[in-house]
Amino acid sequence: QVQLVESGGGLVQAGGSLRLSCVASGRTFSNYAMGWFRQAPGKEREFVAVISRHGGTIYYTESVEGRFTISRDNAKNAVSLQMNSLKPEDTAIYYCAARSGMKSRKSYEYDNWGQGTQVTVSS
C-alpha cells in the first residue's frame, strides 16, 4: 500500500490557475502509475490524467487537454497537476490515485487513493 496526501485546491475565478500536489509514502513510488480523478456533486468520479511510472507516457481526458499538465518527481515521491484556464465545469473534488504497474484510465483499477482536495471555479 501507498499513502497519498493531496494539497493545493481552492477557490479561483474562471480563467485562473491552480496547481495540485500529491505526496506519496509507504512504498517505492516509481513502481506506481499515478492518476488524477475528479468527482463533481451528483456525478460519478471521472478520469482526468495519468502518468506512467517513469513519466514517459501521459494521457488526459479530452476536456482538459491543452489546459492541464500532469508531472511527477520520483525523487520527491510526488505528482502534480497544473491546471490553467480553469472553467466552472472543472469544479470538483480532485483525487490522486496510485496503481501498481501499468497506467490506467479506469478508477476501479486503482487501489490507493488520497483524501481529495476541493477545487471550485467561479464564473
Side-chain angles (χ1 to χ4, degrees):
Q1 290 291 328
V2 61
Q3 291 75 47
L4 305 171
V5 179
E6 302 104 331
S7 61
L11 172 64
V12 65
Q13 289 188 334
S17 298
L18 283 173
R19 184 177 181 86
L20 306 184
S21 296
C22 174
V23 177
S25 61
R27 291 292 178 98
T28 304
F29 184 65
S30 60
N31 287 345
Y32 293 84
M34 298 299 299
W36 284 97
F37 294 80
R38 65 187 180 186
Q39 187 166 18
K43 296 187 177 181
E44 293 188 353
R45 191 170 298 187
E46 66 170 352
F47 166 76
V48 176
V50 63
I51 186 167
S52 58
R53 289 174 294 168
H54 296 284
T57 304
I58 290 172
Y59 296 133
Y60 299 98
T61 192
E62 185 175 352
S63 63
V64 308
E65 189 86 47
R67 300 188 297 122
F68 291 12
T69 302
I70 188 172
S71 60
R72 68 187 294 160
D73 184 340
N74 286 351
K76 296 182 179 180
N77 289 357
V79 61
S80 298
L81 186 69
Q82 177 66 41
M83 305 185 296
N84 298 329
S85 302
L86 283 161
K87 303 176 181 180
E89 51 263 44
D90 294 317
T91 295
I93 298 174
Y94 283 70
Y95 299 89
C96 74
R99 180 175 190 265
S100 180
M102 299 294 289
K103 58 197 177 295
S104 171
R105 305 180 202 213
K106 302 181 176 75
S107 61
Y108 61 81
E109 293 186 343
Y110 290 76
D111 50 13
N112 301 279
W113 292 85
Q115 82 285 356
T117 186
Q118 177 71 48
V119 171
T120 303
V121 184
S122 63
S123 58

